[in-house]
């Protein structure tokens, strides 16, 4: 397993074609470099999604609520394989996953860092309780998409930029899932 501090990310063009690799931290500095990522949204049979509160030791967006899990695939790793790997590492469980859509976004995440990602959005179904890795997430909760959307509008500072950017697309995709 790669150490997350020196992990390489896959640099991509606007069509998700690999154009190189770069250290994870470097890819987020100097205005950011477009790189491949994934965001996992796990739902239960009640239609609620599982959120995590990012740990305070994360290199950006500390203490903010976010989707179930997100990260970057390793060089040469398929997006879904990376998603399963990180779901187990961060949330302590695995479940069937499938990609729903992808989008590109660029956002200032503080500390002089920028997220510029070609983000593959993945959905899963799970009805258990996570066993969170406290180095990655300090808390979790299940919430309906309607309640989440409402709270993002009322308290946007409590949420990660990418969650705020993609929530409407997630709601639309969930209705068709």
């Amino acid at each position: 397993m790669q150490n997350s501090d020196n992990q390489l990310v896959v640099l991509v063009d606007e069509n998700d074609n690999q154009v190189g690799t770069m250290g994870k931290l470097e890819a987020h500095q100097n205005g950011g470099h477009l790189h491949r990522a994934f965001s996992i949204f796990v739902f239960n049979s009640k239609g609620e999604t599982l959120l995590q509160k990012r740990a305070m030791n994360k290199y950006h967006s500390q203490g903010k609520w976010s989707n179930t899990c997100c990260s970057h695939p390793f060089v040469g790793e398929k997006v879904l394989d990376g998603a399963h790997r990180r779901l187990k590492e961060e949330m302590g469980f695995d479940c069937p996953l499938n990609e729903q859509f992808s989008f590109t976004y660029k956002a200032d995440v503080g500390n002089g860092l920028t997220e510029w990602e070609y983000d593959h959005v993945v959905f899963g179904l799970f009805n258990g309780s996570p066993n969170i890795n406290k180095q990655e997430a300090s808390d979790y909760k299940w919430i309906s998409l309607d309640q989440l959307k409402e709270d993002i509008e009322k308290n946007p500072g409590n949420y990660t930029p990418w969650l705020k950017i993609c929530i409407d697309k997630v709601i639309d995709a969930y209705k068709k899932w």
Side-chain angles (χ1 to χ4, degrees):
M1 176 164 44
Q2 290 179 320
N3 179 311
S4 66
D5 294 336
N6 60 18
Q7 176 188 336
L8 292 176
V9 296
V10 177
L11 300 179
V12 297
D13 64 17
E14 65 279 354
N15 297 310
D16 196 34
N17 296 307
Q18 182 172 341
V19 297
T21 61
M22 185 178 278
K24 181 172 76 170
L25 188 56
E26 184 183 1
H28 294 88
Q29 295 171 331
N30 302 314
H33 299 270
L34 184 59
H35 59 278
R36 187 174 295 147
F38 54 82
S39 291
I40 304 169
F41 288 80
V42 170
F43 297 91
N44 62 22
S45 57
K46 294 190 243 178
E48 298 168 319
T49 191
L50 178 62
L51 300 184
Q52 69 156 273
K53 189 172 191 179
R54 289 173 59 89
M56 292 306 290
N57 65 330
K58 300 290 268 185
Y59 69 109
H60 69 75
S61 306
Q62 307 92 335
K64 295 196 181 287
W65 286 101
S66 196
N67 50 291
T68 309
C69 176
C70 51
S71 191
H72 312 95
F74 291 151
V75 176
E77 182 180 47
K78 293 177 182 171
V79 169
L80 283 179
D81 291 342
H84 284 287
R85 172 181 51 79
R86 286 304 290 168
L87 187 58
K88 288 183 273 192
E89 290 171 1
E90 289 191 22
M91 303 304 284
F93 71 90
D94 197 11
C95 65
L97 299 172
N98 54 61
E99 186 171 340
Q100 296 300 306
F101 64 91
S102 57
F103 73 107
T104 302
Y105 75 95
K106 191 172 191 178
D108 181 339
V109 292
N111 300 329
L113 302 175
T114 301
E115 280 285 15
W116 188 13
E117 295 186 331
Y118 190 103
D119 196 10
H120 296 261
V121 177
V122 176
F123 285 4
L125 181 65
F126 178 72
N127 284 303
S129 295
N131 181 18
I132 61 174
N133 176 345
K134 292 289 191 170
Q135 294 299 308
E136 300 290 342
S138 63
D139 200 1
Y140 73 92
K141 66 181 173 183
W142 292 96
I143 188 170
S144 75
L145 287 173
D146 289 341
Q147 289 173 312
L148 176 57
K149 170 87 171 154
E150 184 179 314
D151 198 53
I152 286 173
E153 290 170 358
K154 286 181 182 173
N155 303 294
N158 292 345
Y159 295 93
T160 57
W162 56 92
L163 179 58
K164 294 184 283 190
I165 291 167
C166 77
I167 188 63
D168 289 331
K169 290 179 176 133
V170 169
I171 290 168
D172 290 344
Y174 182 76
K175 290 175 184 173
K176 298 173 191 164
W177 187 48

